[in-house]
Amino acid sequence: MAPAADRFSAQRAGRQSFSHALLLPVSRLQAAALVPGMWWCVMLDLRRMMLLCDLADLGTVAAVAEHRNITSSAVSQQLRVLEQETGAVLFRRHGRTLGLTQSGEILVEHVRRVMGAVEEAMSAVAASRDTVGGQLTVAGFETSIPSLAAPLVQRLSRDEPYLHVRVIQEGSATALHSLRRGEIDVALIYRLYFLADETVGGLVSRPLFHDPLVLLAPAHLHERIHEKGLSALAGEPWITGPYGSSWATALDLASESAGFVPQVKHRVPGAPNMCQLAAAEVASAIVPRLSVPPALERLMVDGIEVGGRSVYAVHREGAQRNPAVSVVLRTLRAIVAEREAALREGSVST
């Protein structure tokens, strides 16, 4: 029998020969008869493919470079190498943005599947541990921070001391992009009744609760509103969000249904800011119930239907078996259940 050192050298040489053979052109593989009748295997760099996914999400090389903290020239070079590796045109320029070709879209779809498989593998490893630990990042929209994220952190710091939760504030669309890119683990998002679902493709949405939109109006106008409905505010000033924002759209749709064009006097970003202006009782506003502080409940007009939004916790498909994600989802559901029970009993305001 050959010495152990010689056997190791031979095995290593065999492995190297096979791995190098996978990178040879098809003609050389066939000539060497190493893998007759098999398809040629192409080794692609996952990091380059992730840059292509970033490009699909962000649209420009500059945005990808900023996101990855590298230069634009480095991004462009890596994307060109990826095109050479695949032998396909993956993107085309449209003004300042780069749009994916059909080949690029197909590759991005498969890369996301690969990343999902990696996530599943990491979740399986995490599930094998005796304790729930590690770091997990939750992103949430403005009003979800005090109502969901803060109670979540408080409970987990007590119940799961080895699990470290980091909270950041992001709008729903931004949070979904961050989730796809692997920057966060759970996204708290909302979807207004007139908006389409943006969570398809590798993401799982867990419904938490329905948050109705409510009308805040000066107290002296309530009796008129109860008699005539929302149309009673046809000539009154309004507060809403910036042009094109979700809250501006919600007001436009509600007023259109009531048969008038709203006289918008104040435009501010964020429902909490709209509530603060409504507190002055100089104008009306349509805001989510979750954003109304206890002191302003007296300005809510009952019986006026103006739509609502659904609140979700979203995670990547591959994270379904991750114990840390499961603990976060379970705790969020408990927080929501307790809040809704308290609302039914009238013991809390928001």
Side-chain angles (χ1 to χ4, degrees), residues 34 54 80 106 114 131 142 144 155-156 187 216 221 237 244 346 350:
L34 291 172
D54 289 343
R80 285 194 296 269
I106 290 172
V114 169
T131 59
E142 188 173 24
S144 74
R155 294 191 186 201
L156 292 181
L216 297 181
L221 296 176
T350 59

Side-chain angles (χ1 to χ4, degrees), residues 10 61 64 92 107 112 122 166 172 211 292 307-308 321 331 350:
V61 168
V64 174
R92 289 193 175 92
L107 182 57
R112 285 177 172 155
M122 296 305 294
R166 183 173 72 104
S172 294
D211 187 22
V292 181
R321 293 178 56 193
T331 305
T350 59

Side-chain angles (χ1 to χ4, degrees), residues 87-266:
V89 177
L90 301 177
F91 50 85
R92 289 193 175 92
R93 183 171 294 279
H94 302 291
R96 289 189 172 184
T97 63
L98 292 178
L100 296 187
T101 63
Q102 183 178 10
S103 298
E105 291 175 352
I106 290 172
L107 182 57
V108 165
E109 178 183 351
H110 282 276
V111 172
R112 285 177 172 155
R113 290 181 187 174
V114 169
M115 296 308 297
V118 172
E119 183 97 40
E120 288 181 7
M122 296 305 294
S123 296
V125 171
S128 68
R129 295 197 295 260
D130 294 332
T131 59
V132 178
Q135 179 165 303
L136 183 143
T137 301
V138 176
F141 56 94
E142 188 173 24
T143 50
S144 74
I145 303 300
S147 60
L148 295 173
L152 174 72
V153 170
Q154 183 180 32
R155 294 191 186 201
L156 292 181
S157 65
R158 177 194 65 201
D159 299 338
E160 301 291 346
Y162 298 105
L163 178 60
H164 305 287
V165 178
R166 183 173 72 104
V167 175
I168 60 175
Q169 181 179 317
E170 288 186 340
S172 294
T174 303
L176 291 178
H177 285 309
S178 298
L179 191 61
R180 291 185 185 281
R181 294 195 296 263
E183 298 172 351
I184 64 173
D185 301 288
V186 177
L188 299 174
I189 70 165
Y190 68 83
R191 188 179 309 131
L192 281 156
Y193 69 97
F194 52 82
L195 295 179
D197 185 359
E198 297 182 34
T199 60
V200 296
L203 301 181
V204 177
S205 296
R206 307 287 186 180
L208 293 177
F209 62 93
H210 176 74
D211 187 22
L213 298 184
V214 296
L215 172 64
L216 297 181
H220 69 275
L221 296 176
H222 284 203
E223 184 176 351
R224 189 202 308 176
I225 297 169
H226 283 134
E227 292 175 358
K228 299 182 178 180
L230 196 63
S231 61
L233 299 175
E236 299 292 334
W238 283 88
I239 306 160
T240 191
Y243 289 102
S245 67
S246 297
W247 307 126
T249 302
L251 173 59
D252 288 341
L253 291 174
S255 58
E256 181 181 358
S257 178
F260 69 93
V261 176
Q263 305 299 308
V264 177
K265 186 173 183 179
H266 309 285

